[in-house]
Amino acid sequence: MNKKRSPFLAATLSVIAPGLGHIYAGSLKKGICLIIFECAILLIVGLSGILVTFHGILLFILAVFIFYLFSVISSARLALKNKQFGLKPYNRWYWYLCIWSILAIGSHLVMTYRTQLFGYQIYQVTANSMKPRLQTGDVIMVTARYSHPKVGDVVAFHTPLNEKVIYVKRIAATGSDTISIRNGTVFRNGKIEKTLEVPKNQREKPFSISMSTRHIPKGYVFLLGDWRDNSLDSRFYGIIPARDILGKAQYVWISPDAGRIGKIIK
């Protein structure tokens, strides 16, 4: 049975899943090659760590756009070429649906386990405890390839209060350190910790002005919010195991304030 291939339908299928339009237009080999190429590139890009940098994300988005554009144009041209095309066994709607379903399930699994596969995760900030560095509504990129906690790093972690809630704070002290607050200034190991300095108007409440010396055991960290007066942190729920840190915040991925997109988190 001969049936003309529609360039519009081929292009539409390529938008849904690159390679699917080529299969519809009569080239099973090209379609499968494009699907394999797409999966391989996604895996390589993810494992390389490019996706944990803002510029890497931009380059990745550009590359995906070019790839989709190529797939759409190529499949439409192939459909125009095959004006009298003899239908093959795979040219049935249920095969297209089956291929798309497999790709959709695969994509869902990759995104679900992207932390383990690619080493990054994204979280939305729901409070202003790290203001002005982070603001409510910011979606941040967090690298999970983080094993050496460092004072001054902004990290995402679970708290003893609720393991389902993810907090974002700044590491103020690590194992074997001592930490205290005097007149609103943070002292680590008896010396002023400059990386933890914040404006005076963010540390005016009693619990932000003074805190007795605390000793941090090995394997634990003490965390503080940048907006000391508006932060639920280690001053209240205590130290947390370093193993509960999910990763280091790298940059603002999406934000209600467009000017903050791509801002590096320091």
Side-chain angles (χ1 to χ4, degrees):
M1 177 181 178
N2 292 334
K3 191 172 183 181
K4 185 178 179 180
R5 302 286 84 185
S6 166
F8 175 76
L9 186 53
T12 301
L13 289 172
S14 290
V15 171
I16 295 174
L20 201 57
H22 288 77
I23 294 174
Y24 162 81
S27 181
L28 179 63
K29 185 177 179 180
K30 285 184 179 180
I32 291 176
C33 284
L34 280 173
I35 292 172
I36 293 175
F37 177 78
E38 178 187 19
C39 294
I41 290 299
L42 284 173
L43 186 60
I44 292 171
V45 167
L47 293 176
S48 70
I50 291 175
L51 296 179
V52 298
T53 67
F54 182 67
H55 291 97
I57 284 286
L58 292 181
L59 288 173
F60 177 70
I61 291 173
L62 178 61
V64 168
F65 174 77
I66 293 173
F67 178 72
Y68 267 77
L69 185 63
F70 166 79
S71 182
V72 167
I73 295 174
S74 178
S75 63
R77 292 181 62 183
L78 183 61
L80 283 171
K81 183 179 178 181
N82 290 334
K83 293 182 178 180
Q84 294 299 321
F85 176 69
L87 293 180
K88 301 293 191 298
Y90 56 80
N91 290 126
R92 298 290 186 270
W93 68 268
Y94 46 83
W95 280 114
Y96 305 143
L97 180 60
C98 181
I99 294 172
W100 176 82
S101 298
I102 292 172
L103 292 174
I105 292 172
S107 298
H108 175 72
L109 290 174
V110 167
M111 291 305 295
T112 301
Y113 297 99
R114 61 181 175 271
T115 303
Q116 295 88 335
L117 287 172
F118 301 150
Y120 79 93
Q121 186 57 277
I122 55 175
Y123 300 107
Q124 184 171 29
V125 178
T126 58
N128 279 324
S129 64
M130 289 298 293
K131 194 174 181 179
R133 182 62 61 188
L134 296 176
Q135 299 182 10
T136 300
D138 286 350
V139 176
I140 61 174
M141 176 71 76
V142 174
T143 175
R145 293 168 181 163
Y146 181 76
S147 57
H148 300 289
K150 180 183 176 183
V151 172
D153 286 349
V154 177
V155 297
F157 59 97
H158 290 296
T159 73
L161 301 178
N162 188 341
E163 292 187 356
K164 294 182 179 180
V165 176
I166 295 172
Y167 282 64
V168 179
K169 308 290 181 185
R170 192 180 299 278
I171 295 177
T174 59
S176 301
D177 284 343
T178 61
I179 184 169
S180 62
I181 301 177
R182 304 174 219 163
N183 297 320
T185 300
V186 178
F187 286 78
R188 185 172 72 93
N189 299 328
K191 298 180 180 179
I192 295 175
E193 183 56 60
K194 293 184 178 181
T195 59
L196 301 175
E197 291 181 354
V198 297
K200 187 175 181 180
N201 61 2
Q202 292 183 213
R203 50 179 178 84
E204 296 178 331
K205 294 183 178 180
F207 54 78
S208 299
I209 295 174
S210 178
M211 183 186 76
S212 59
T213 301
R214 303 191 189 186
H215 298 267
I216 315 302
K218 289 184 178 181
Y220 287 80
V221 294
F222 189 97
L223 301 118
L224 288 172
D226 286 356
W227 189 359
R228 302 284 154 74
D229 292 343
N230 190 43
S231 175
L232 182 63
D233 49 42
S234 289
R235 291 171 295 175
F236 304 99
Y237 49 69
I239 56 178
I240 70 160
R243 64 175 179 273
D244 287 348
I245 295 177
L246 301 174
K248 179 183 177 182
Q250 296 287 95
Y251 62 87
V252 178
W253 192 39
I254 300 174
S255 175
D257 179 359
R260 294 178 52 76
I261 295 176
K263 187 178 182 65
I264 297 174
I265 301 170
K266 296 182 180 179

